[in-house]
Amino acid sequence: MSSLPSRSFLVESGEYPFADHWLPYAGGHVHYLDEGHGVPVLLLHGNPTWSYLYRHVIQELNSECRLIAPDYPGFGYSRAPTSYGFTPPEQAAVICSLIDHLGLKSFVLVVQDWGGPIGLNYAVEHSRNIRGIVIMNSWAWEASIPQKLFSLVMGGWPLGYWLQTRRNFFVRRILPRGIWHKDKLTPSLKEAYSRPFSSPASRYPTWVFPRNIRKSRDWLRGIESRLPRLAHLPVQILWGRHDEPGFRPEEMRRQHGEAVQPTQA
C-alpha cells in the first residue's frame, strides 16, 4: 500500500496549523484542508496563491462551519498529473472531482481571482447544490480590454513567460502590490507564497493563468451565458478597491448589477 503524500515545503506552523488531506487525481494528487463542522464552505483561491490564503478565515470560522480549501494542481502542496496543462477548464474539473469526492451538499461557494470562473463553472451547472456565493475580486466572462492587455504582457511570449518562470514576477511583484496593508507583508507570508514556486519549471502554472485570460475566452463565455441560473441565490460581494489593473470597479458592477456598491477591503 503506497504511503500518503507529504508537504513539499514548510510554512510557519502557527500560521497554518491544519491537518492535510489528499485526493489522488490521475497520477497526481490534490491537497486540501477540511476544518470544522457545520455548513460546508468551499474556498477557492487564485493565482499565485493557495489554501494558505484562507488561513485566517479558517481559524476564525471553524467553530461555526466546515471549511474546505483546496490547492489546484501546480499550486500549494498539490501535484499535477503528467501532461497536465494547468488551464482553467482543467482546474475546474479538479474542483468538480473534489466536490463529488467529498459529497458536498448545499454548500457556500467562496471565490477570488481565478477561483471565480473555476467555482462558478460548477455553480451554473449545479445551482441547486449551492447555498450561497461570496465573490471577491473576480469575474466570469470574456475579458475586458484592460484584462486582455494584462494577459498579453503577463501571459505573453516570450516576455510574460520569462517574467513568470525566470523572475517569479507574480509572486515577487504583483502579489505584494495586492496587499494594501503593508504591515501584513511579513517575511513568513512572502516565504509561504514563494516556496511553492522555487524553480522555473514550478512557476509555469503562474504563466498559464494570465495567458488563459485570452485563451479560455470561449470557456468564459459559456459560463457567462449560464450565470442567470444563479439569480435566485444569495450573493455577498467583497471588493478590494485597489486591485488594479486586474479588477476594476466595472468588473464588480457586472457581478451584481450597476447599483451594487462594494464592501471596502
Side-chain angles (χ1 to χ4, degrees), residues 110-128:
V110 179
V111 301
Q112 181 266 343
D113 190 71
W114 270 105
I118 287 171
L120 293 174
N121 173 78
Y122 175 89
V124 296
E125 286 299 316
H126 304 87
S127 62
R128 294 184 180 223

Side-chain angles (χ1 to χ4, degrees), residues 152-164:
L152 282 168
V153 177
M154 294 295 105
W157 174 272
L159 177 59
Y161 182 83
W162 179 81
L163 284 171
Q164 307 317 330

Side-chain angles (χ1 to χ4, degrees), residues 64-162:
E64 301 177 33
C65 47
R66 177 187 175 191
L67 299 124
I68 300 105
D71 302 335
Y72 311 139
F75 295 79
Y77 294 126
S78 292
R79 182 167 62 83
T82 303
S83 301
Y84 194 75
F86 306 98
T87 64
E90 288 173 293
Q91 306 287 27
V94 168
I95 294 306
C96 290
S97 294
L98 179 64
I99 292 168
D100 290 343
H101 170 74
L102 295 174
L104 296 183
K105 302 295 182 185
S106 188
F107 65 91
V108 176
L109 179 64
V110 179
V111 301
Q112 181 266 343
D113 190 71
W114 270 105
I118 287 171
L120 293 174
N121 173 78
Y122 175 89
V124 296
E125 286 299 316
H126 304 87
S127 62
R128 294 184 180 223
N129 201 31
I130 305 296
R131 189 186 188 109
I133 304 175
V134 178
I135 299 174
M136 292 174 279
N137 297 41
S138 188
W139 86 112
W141 42 72
E142 185 179 0
S144 63
I145 291 176
Q147 287 176 319
K148 288 178 181 177
L149 292 173
F150 178 83
S151 176
L152 282 168
V153 177
M154 294 295 105
W157 174 272
L159 177 59
Y161 182 83
W162 179 81

Side-chain angles (χ1 to χ4, degrees), residues 135 138-141 224 227-228 230-231 233 235-239 248-263:
I135 299 174
S138 188
W139 86 112
W141 42 72
E224 180 184 11
L227 287 176
L230 308 179
L233 292 171
V235 175
Q236 174 71 59
I237 297 177
L238 307 173
W239 205 267
R248 300 185 177 199
E250 303 91 275
E251 303 298 332
M252 180 275 300
R253 285 191 286 270
R254 287 192 67 179
Q255 290 286 0
H256 202 32
E258 291 292 329
V260 172
Q261 294 299 315
T263 299

Side-chain angles (χ1 to χ4, degrees), residues 17 45 76 88 130 148 164 167 169 197 207 221 241 247:
H45 67 82
I130 305 296
K148 288 178 181 177
Q164 307 317 330
R167 305 303 299 169
F169 194 78
F197 308 110
W207 175 70
R221 286 171 183 161
R241 297 190 181 194
F247 300 106

